[in-house]
Amino acid sequence: MKTILITGASGGIGEALANKLAERKHNLLLVARNAEKLSAQCNQLADKFGINAQFIAADLSKPGVAEQVFSETQQRGLEVEMLINNAGVGSGGALTDIALKAELDMLQLNISSLVALTHLFLPQMQQRKSGTIINVASVAGFMPIPYMATYAASKMFVRSFTEAITEECKPYNIHVMLLVPGLTRTNFNHASGIEGVRPNVEYKDTSTQSPEQVADEALKALDKKKPFIVSGRRNRLSTRAVALVPNAMITKIYAKSFLKKQKNNV
């Protein structure tokens, strides 16, 4: 059975993409940690849209879990025609103030599991000469960010990796797209402990997007077979501007802003 696999599907952008793809009558395989929430989500989508919605409760921040997810899809006889690597987490603060295990778990989720799932599902897409892969990065991946050093670097990896395999996949008629959201109104910042790290941007800012807005832009870009979409006009402008500014200047601005906020919060 053909299906779309979405990681990080139980909330935020992943949940919004699941809803909109279900509305388009696509069968779904949702992957996240919370089995109870995933079960309720699948039941709701199946009832509302008449699709087949399945889930795998899995923690992709752990080594070897991506392989387990792939194995489960094979046992269920699922043909993953679209892979959406959306799961991700952030971190914030001075590098030495963050637990090493938390940083390594983040790298496993943001990088290693994304690469593993892509590597595992890609050969089947190559054999069929069809398929789609969407990798979710971040505007943070366009610059080094002090006090978000590891997170920003992980998203730089996603960006570079995705742009490279886009060309590798073209001879096989596989569409690869990089989705770059900015600050989105989810619990991401709170859950990741990075509230207040990005200068002059907060959830109350009217320029932030809802997960539904990001999902809408992503699917419009997908329909047009675009290889790359930065979601949100302000985010598109900021990524273009950042390309013109030396990294040394960017890091100074972010560091000063973070330390100023920390001082004001004392």
Side-chain angles (χ1 to χ4, degrees):
M1 180 177 65
K2 292 184 178 181
T3 192
I4 294 175
L5 191 162
I6 307 174
T7 67
S10 62
I13 295 170
E15 183 178 16
L17 284 168
N19 291 337
K20 292 183 183 298
L21 288 166
E23 188 175 3
R24 293 185 174 198
K25 302 300 181 182
H26 290 287
N27 297 323
L28 299 176
L29 175 62
L30 308 183
V31 179
R33 292 180 298 177
N34 191 323
E36 184 177 352
K37 184 169 184 180
L38 286 170
S39 178
Q41 190 177 357
C42 286
N43 289 336
Q44 182 180 27
L45 292 173
D47 291 343
K48 185 174 181 180
F49 298 110
I51 64 162
N52 182 284
Q54 303 182 36
F55 72 91
I56 298 175
D59 185 354
L60 290 167
S61 70
K62 307 303 180 187
V65 173
E67 290 86 343
Q68 294 172 15
V69 169
F70 175 77
S71 178
E72 182 65 23
T73 65
Q74 304 311 289
Q75 291 177 24
R76 297 187 191 185
L78 299 176
E79 180 182 312
V80 175
E81 59 180 347
M82 184 186 300
L83 170 65
I84 303 179
N85 285 309
N86 166 73
V89 70
S91 67
L95 178 63
T96 52
D97 290 341
I98 305 169
L100 176 59
K101 184 179 184 303
E103 292 286 79
L104 295 178
D105 285 350
M106 179 182 67
L107 292 175
Q108 177 67 43
L109 177 62
N110 292 6
I111 294 177
S112 296
S113 288
L114 179 147
V115 172
L117 289 171
T118 303
H119 192 280
L120 290 163
F121 285 105
L122 195 50
Q124 297 178 344
M125 294 182 181
Q126 290 173 333
Q127 288 178 356
R128 296 192 303 265
K129 292 195 178 297
S130 67
T132 302
I133 298 172
I134 300 175
N135 289 335
V136 180
S138 166
V139 292
F142 282 78
M143 66 202 91
I145 304 180
Y147 305 101
M148 285 178 63
T150 309
Y151 171 70
S154 76
K155 291 304 183 178
M156 282 186 178
F157 177 93
V158 173
R159 178 186 167 202
S160 175
F161 173 77
T162 306
E163 290 176 346
I165 65 167
T166 295
E167 290 302 315
E168 291 187 28
C169 290
K170 283 182 178 179
Y172 298 96
N173 193 38
I174 298 168
H175 179 209
V176 180
M177 187 175 84
L178 179 67
L179 170 60
V180 183
L183 188 63
T184 308
R185 293 191 290 276
T186 69
N187 70 342
F188 178 86
N189 274 16
H190 178 72
S192 303
I194 59 176
E195 286 178 318
V197 177
R198 296 182 187 180
N200 304 319
V201 181
E202 304 294 345
Y203 283 136
K204 63 185 178 182
D205 193 318
T206 56
S207 67
T208 61
Q209 290 189 295
S210 69
E212 291 73 24
Q213 288 173 319
V214 175
D216 279 335
E217 288 202 44
L219 294 183
K220 287 178 182 177
L222 185 67
D223 291 340
K224 295 177 181 179
K225 295 287 186 180
K226 289 187 176 181
F228 183 95
I229 175 67
V230 178
S231 180
R233 182 176 178 274
R234 177 169 171 172
N235 294 323
R236 287 189 285 274
L237 292 173
S238 67
T239 54
R240 290 170 189 163
V242 161
L244 304 176
V245 182
N247 282 347
M249 184 178 296
I250 292 171
T251 54
K252 284 182 180 179
I253 292 170
Y254 271 84
K256 285 181 180 179
S257 175
F258 176 81
L259 293 173
K260 182 179 179 181
K261 286 188 177 183
Q262 291 294 98
K263 183 177 180 181
N264 291 339
N265 291 334
V266 172

